[in-house]
Amino acid sequence: MKRSYSSQLMAAILVNSVYEMKNYPINLVNTVLSPLSFLIVITFVSKGTLIGQAIEGGLIMSMFQSGTALQGDISHLKNDFKLQDMLVSSPASPSVYVLGMAISELIYVAPALLVLVVLGQIYIHPSALQALEMAAALLLMFVTSITIGFMFATLSSDIVQSFAWSRLLTTIFTTVTPVYYPLTYIPLPFRYLAYLSPTTYAAEIMQNVVGYLQESASVVITDWAVLGGVTAVLLVVVSRKARWKET
Amino acid sequence: MDQLVTEKLTKRYGGKTLALQEVSLSAPSSGIFALIGRNGAGKTTLVRILATELAPTSGSASINGIDVVKEDKKLRERIAIVPQEARTISWMTPKQSALAYLMWRGFGHSEAKKRAEESLGRLKLDKYADTLNRSLSGGTKRKVLAAMVLASEADIVFLDEPTTGLDPISRRDFWDILRELAKDRFIFLTTHYLEEAEQLADTLGILGEGRLVAIGSVPSIRGRIRYQYSIKLPPKVPVPGVSKGEVITGRNGEVQILTNEDEAFAISRSLSVAGTRFSISPVSLDDIFFQLVGEPTQREQEAATPGEE
C-alpha cells in the first residue's frame, strides 16, 4: 500500500495540538499566558521603557518553550501511553513523527505568537527586513530548542523527571538569561555566563536589529555564527544520539 | 513459509541481565500463539524483539520469512503491537485514537476515518466513539487499543498481556475480540492467565527463566508431561499411597495428586470403595505449568543445597 507522509505529519499535529487544545482548552490558556506574564511584569517594573525588549523576549520564550514542551509531550506519550512503542512497530517514519510533533508545538504557541506579533507591530514597528531577520533568529531558536527537547525526551524514561527537566530548561534558558532585558543589566563577572545560552545570542540579534543594542558588525556576525553553529551541532548530535528504539 | 522461527535468540541487557537464552522455536504464524511464563521469564523481551522494537544480542528471528533485524522496515509494514501497559491517550476519544493511529501508519484521512468507524463498530464501541478515553472503563480502554490495531492493515499483531487487570467478564469479552482478530490475522499473545492461554491458543509456548520450556498445542504439551491426571481431595481425608506421581497439599489443606492414567484409575477405585469424596480430571494448564516451570527451579534449589553445605 502507498503510505502518505502528509497523513503521518497530520496525525502528530492532531494528537499533540488539535485534539488536546479542543478537549483540554486550559492547556492553551497556559501556553498563551506564560510568555505574556513576564512581558507584563517587565513592562510594569521598567515603567514601560523595556516593553520592546520584553516583547522580543516573549517571542524567544515562546519559541524556546516549544522545544521544552516537545520534550515533555514526547516523553509523556512514550512513557505513559507507550505510543512510541506502538509506532516503532509500524510503518510510521521517525523523522516525520518528530517533524509533526515539532509543528504541533508551533501550532500550540501560535496564539501567543499572534498576540506578541501584534504587540510588536504596535510598540516596535519593525521594517519588513528587520522582521525577516527576527524571524530567522526565532527559527534557529525553535530548531535549537526542538533538538534539545527531542534529545531529552528520547533519553528520559520517567514522566515526572521529564516535566521537571522541561521546567528547568525553560527557566535557565529564558528567564535567568537576558532574554527579556538587556545583557548590560547583568553584572560583568556573570555576563559571560549568559553567553553559554543560545537564547542570549538570539536576544542580542533581535535587540540589535531594531536598535535596542548598538553592536558592531563583528559582534552581530559572531552572534549569527554561534546561533547557527549551535543549531547545526545539536542537529548532528540528535541525529546520532537520540533513540527511536532500544538497542 | 507462514512460520514464526527463532534460532538461538538471546538478549542480554547492559551486558549483564540475561533475559532470553538461546530461544529456538518454529510455529505456524496463523491463529493465536500464546506465550506464558512467570514475571521476568522473558515474555516481553521476546515480543519486543519480534516486533522490531528491540535488537537481540545474538541469534535470529523471522516471521513469514522476513528477518526481524535485517528486514525490520519490511516487517513493520505488516505488524502492529499493543505493548504491555499501553494506555489510550486521555484527551482523545476512541474515534480520534483509531483515526490518528491509522494516519500514523500512512492512511489518508478519509480511508482512516472509514476504517476507524468500521473497527469501532465491529468491537461494539461505536456508542463510545466520541467519549473521552479518560471517561471509559478499564476494559473499554483495552478494547479501544484492540480496535486501533484491528482497524489497521497489519496481519501480524502482538499483544503483550492485553487482559492484565481486567475483571473476569471484561476478560471474556476481550477473548471474543481476540478470536475475531485471529480470523484473518496472526496474533502473538503473552499472558499470565493460564486459562486464557488454554482457551485461546492454537500454539502455546512456555518460557521459564529466559528459556523455552515447551511449545506446541495444549493437547500435545499435555501429552508430553509426566502426569496426565489430577485427583483432588478435600482437607482432612486420608491420602492414599502414590507410587508414581506427586502429592501436593494446598494452604487450605486440599490435596492434589498428579499421576499417570493407570495409577489415577487405581486410586479412584480405592477412593470410591472407601466412600471418599474426590474429583478426577485431566491436568489443567496450571498443573502443566507447575510441572514444566516449577520443577526445574526446585531441582536447581536441591542441586544447590549440597554445594552450600
Side-chain angles (χ1 to χ4, degrees):
Chain A
M1 105 178 224
K2 196 173 181 310
R3 300 189 191 274
S4 159
Y5 284 130
S6 61
S7 280
Q8 293 184 7
L9 206 63
M10 186 53 75
I13 294 167
L14 284 173
V15 170
N16 202 43
S17 57
V18 177
Y19 292 149
E20 197 175 337
M21 283 196 277
K22 188 178 160 194
N23 297 331
Y24 288 175
I26 189 71
N27 285 323
L28 184 61
V29 176
N30 181 45
T31 318
V32 174
L33 283 185
S34 194
L36 294 183
S37 59
F38 276 107
L39 181 137
I40 291 163
V41 170
I42 298 282
T43 304
F44 277 130
V45 169
S46 70
K47 297 191 171 119
T49 57
L50 290 179
I51 189 166
Q53 284 95 328
I55 291 168
E56 289 185 336
L59 286 165
I60 293 171
M61 187 186 191
S62 295
M63 297 308 261
F64 195 84
Q65 221 175 22
S66 303
T68 55
L70 179 86
Q71 194 259 138
D73 289 345
I74 288 185
S75 183
H76 189 34
L77 292 170
K78 181 180 83 153
N79 298 319
D80 280 7
F81 301 111
K82 305 291 172 196
L83 177 72
Q84 197 164 314
D85 285 351
M86 289 183 81
L87 297 183
V88 167
S89 301
S90 83
S93 152
S95 47
V96 175
Y97 173 71
V98 177
L99 184 61
M101 293 295 283
I103 293 172
S104 75
E105 300 297 347
L106 213 49
I107 290 171
Y108 230 106
V109 296
L113 287 178
L114 191 68
V115 173
L116 289 164
V117 166
V118 170
L119 288 174
Q121 282 299 323
I122 297 167
Y123 293 103
I124 305 174
H125 33 80
S127 67
L129 190 64
Q130 287 171 328
L132 208 61
E133 278 187 70
M134 289 162 77
L138 288 171
L139 184 66
L140 284 176
M141 197 70 268
F142 175 66
V143 177
T144 300
S145 69
I146 288 292
T147 48
I148 293 172
F150 185 63
M151 176 91 127
F152 272 85
T154 60
L155 297 175
S156 81
S157 57
D158 184 287
I159 188 60
V160 177
Q161 193 187 40
S162 186
F163 279 132
W165 273 110
S166 185
R167 284 191 293 271
L168 183 66
L169 290 172
T170 305
T171 305
I172 290 173
F173 288 113
T174 64
T175 54
V176 176
T177 46
V179 166
Y180 278 92
Y181 57 91
L183 176 71
T184 48
Y185 281 32
I186 302 177
L188 238 181
F190 301 105
R191 204 177 291 173
Y192 300 110
L193 285 176
Y195 282 109
L196 293 174
S197 166
T199 48
T200 301
Y201 300 92
E204 207 164 68
I205 288 168
M206 290 180 66
Q207 288 171 15
N208 193 66
V209 164
V210 290
Y212 296 139
L213 282 177
Q214 310 293 329
E215 298 287 6
S216 64
S218 63
V219 170
V220 175
I221 290 168
T222 307
D223 285 343
W224 279 110
V226 171
L227 196 56
V230 166
T231 309
V233 167
L234 283 171
L235 276 171
V236 172
V237 170
V238 162
S239 65
R240 292 192 179 166
K241 295 288 178 191
R243 290 186 312 202
W244 172 244
K245 57 175 268 190
E246 280 183 52
T247 52
Chain B
M1 204 48 132
D2 285 353
Q3 289 276 313
L4 163 66
V5 180
T6 71
E7 281 176 23
K8 294 188 173 180
L9 201 62
T10 300
K11 179 66 189 180
R12 196 181 279 277
Y13 288 106
K16 288 179 183 174
T17 313
L18 193 56
L20 282 184
Q21 300 181 56
E22 300 195 341
V23 171
S24 296
L25 65 85
S26 177
S29 57
S30 57
I32 297 178
F33 184 109
L35 187 66
I36 60 172
R38 292 171 170 169
N39 285 332
K43 302 187 296 294
T44 297
T45 300
L46 181 54
V47 166
R48 297 189 73 201
I49 290 173
L50 294 176
T52 76
E53 274 181 44
L54 192 65
T57 307
S58 61
S60 64
S62 66
I63 306 173
N64 299 346
I66 306 169
D67 190 291
V68 302
V69 177
K70 293 175 193 157
E71 299 172 284
D72 55 349
K73 279 189 181 169
K74 189 177 172 188
L75 188 60
R76 284 180 194 141
E77 297 280 330
R78 296 184 55 181
I79 62 174
I81 187 172
V82 179
Q84 195 184 126
E85 297 168 8
R87 292 197 292 129
T88 50
I89 296 174
S90 50
W91 62 83
M92 290 166 67
T93 65
K95 195 201 274 184
Q96 290 169 345
S97 303
L99 176 76
Y101 178 69
L102 293 174
M103 288 176 72
W104 250 312
R105 293 188 71 97
F107 284 96
H109 184 272
S110 55
E111 174 69 9
K113 189 165 177 262
K114 191 175 130 221
R115 278 175 168 262
E117 284 169 355
E118 273 173 14
S119 180
L120 291 170
R122 207 166 152 192
L123 300 192
K124 301 184 179 69
L125 289 168
D126 32 2
K127 60 182 169 187
Y128 305 113
D130 298 313
T131 307
L132 280 181
N133 288 329
R134 65 171 179 178
S135 309
L136 302 174
S137 68
T140 310
K141 284 176 188 168
R142 282 270 156 196
K143 286 183 196 169
V144 172
L145 290 167
M148 288 161 65
V149 294
L150 176 67
S152 80
E153 79 296 8
D155 60 351
I156 301 162
V157 176
F158 298 93
L159 301 169
D160 194 1
E161 296 185 14
T163 60
T164 299
L166 296 188
D167 64 73
I169 293 169
S170 300
R171 199 181 310 150
R172 274 167 176 74
D173 278 353
F174 204 85
W175 292 353
D176 292 337
I177 292 170
L178 294 181
R179 290 188 188 103
E180 175 78 16
L181 271 165
K183 281 181 186 167
D184 48 7
R185 288 170 173 81
F186 171 46
I187 306 290
F188 189 102
L189 167 84
T190 74
T191 181
H192 277 306
Y193 303 112
L194 302 174
E195 185 197 2
E196 182 166 286
E198 195 158 24
Q199 287 284 328
L200 296 171
D202 297 299
T203 309
L204 177 71
I206 301 177
L207 270 186
E209 295 171 4
R211 291 180 188 278
L212 188 71
V213 178
I215 185 168
S217 64
V218 176
S220 76
I221 289 178
R222 183 174 277 133
R224 264 183 266 158
I225 58 166
R226 271 195 292 169
Y227 310 122
Q228 286 81 40
Y229 281 84
S230 162
I231 296 170
K232 285 184 178 163
L233 301 169
K236 296 175 184 170
V237 163
V239 180
V242 180
S243 57
K244 288 176 187 167
E246 281 187 36
V247 179
I248 304 156
T249 307
R251 277 189 201 157
N252 59 357
E254 190 180 72
V255 173
Q256 183 183 22
I257 301 168
L258 295 172
T259 186
N260 61 25
E261 188 173 345
D262 291 343
E263 180 127 14
F265 285 102
I267 292 170
S268 302
R269 262 195 303 275
S270 69
L271 289 169
S272 297
V273 170
T276 307
R277 275 196 306 124
F278 70 99
S279 66
I280 180 169
S281 63
V283 289
S284 68
L285 197 50
D286 281 280
D287 304 321
I288 295 172
F289 188 76
F290 171 77
Q291 288 186 55
L292 291 173
V293 179
E295 271 196 346
T297 308
Q298 286 169 352
R299 269 204 301 272
E300 281 159 18
Q301 283 169 353
E302 282 161 15
T305 312
E308 286 165 10
E309 285 170 352

Short mmCIF file of all heavy atoms in Angstrom, two decimals, chain A residues 18 35 46 53 65 148 166 174 205:
data_model
loop_
_atom_site.label_atom_id
_atom_site.label_comp_id
_atom_site.label_asym_id
_atom_site.label_seq_id
_atom_site.Cartn_x
_atom_site.Cartn_y
_atom_site.Cartn_z
N VAL A 18 -4.15 19.70 18.07
CA VAL A 18 -5.56 19.95 17.77
C VAL A 18 -6.50 19.29 18.79
O VAL A 18 -7.33 19.97 19.41
CB VAL A 18 -5.91 19.49 16.33
CG1 VAL A 18 -7.39 19.70 16.04
CG2 VAL A 18 -5.06 20.23 15.32
N PRO A 35 4.33 33.34 28.33
CA PRO A 35 5.24 34.39 27.86
C PRO A 35 4.71 35.80 28.12
O PRO A 35 5.47 36.74 28.32
CB PRO A 35 5.37 34.12 26.35
CG PRO A 35 4.28 33.21 25.99
CD PRO A 35 3.78 32.54 27.22
N SER A 46 9.78 48.23 34.58
CA SER A 46 10.60 49.23 33.86
C SER A 46 9.81 50.48 33.50
O SER A 46 10.31 51.35 32.79
CB SER A 46 11.17 48.59 32.59
OG SER A 46 10.12 48.38 31.66
N GLN A 53 11.94 45.22 24.39
CA GLN A 53 12.78 44.06 24.72
C GLN A 53 11.91 42.91 25.29
O GLN A 53 12.16 41.75 25.00
CB GLN A 53 13.83 44.43 25.78
CG GLN A 53 15.00 45.22 25.23
CD GLN A 53 14.77 46.72 25.41
OE1 GLN A 53 13.62 47.20 25.38
NE2 GLN A 53 15.85 47.46 25.57
N GLN A 65 10.11 27.59 24.39
CA GLN A 65 9.17 26.76 25.14
C GLN A 65 8.62 25.62 24.27
O GLN A 65 8.27 24.56 24.79
CB GLN A 65 8.01 27.63 25.61
CG GLN A 65 7.57 27.33 27.00
CD GLN A 65 6.50 28.31 27.47
OE1 GLN A 65 5.80 28.93 26.67
NE2 GLN A 65 6.35 28.42 28.77
N ILE A 148 17.05 20.03 21.37
CA ILE A 148 17.33 19.77 22.79
C ILE A 148 16.17 18.97 23.40
O ILE A 148 16.38 17.97 24.09
CB ILE A 148 17.52 21.10 23.57
CG1 ILE A 148 18.80 21.82 23.11
CG2 ILE A 148 17.59 20.85 25.09
CD1 ILE A 148 18.97 23.23 23.67
N SER A 166 11.84 19.82 31.76
CA SER A 166 11.18 20.78 30.88
C SER A 166 11.12 22.16 31.53
O SER A 166 11.48 23.17 30.93
CB SER A 166 9.77 20.25 30.57
OG SER A 166 9.15 21.05 29.66
N THR A 174 15.38 30.90 29.41
CA THR A 174 14.54 32.05 29.01
C THR A 174 14.26 33.06 30.12
O THR A 174 13.89 34.18 29.82
CB THR A 174 13.18 31.59 28.42
OG1 THR A 174 12.45 30.93 29.44
CG2 THR A 174 13.35 30.71 27.23
N ILE A 205 20.77 39.40 18.91
CA ILE A 205 20.49 39.65 17.48
C ILE A 205 19.21 40.48 17.35
O ILE A 205 19.18 41.50 16.66
CB ILE A 205 20.35 38.31 16.71
CG1 ILE A 205 21.71 37.63 16.56
CG2 ILE A 205 19.71 38.53 15.35
CD1 ILE A 205 21.63 36.18 16.08
#
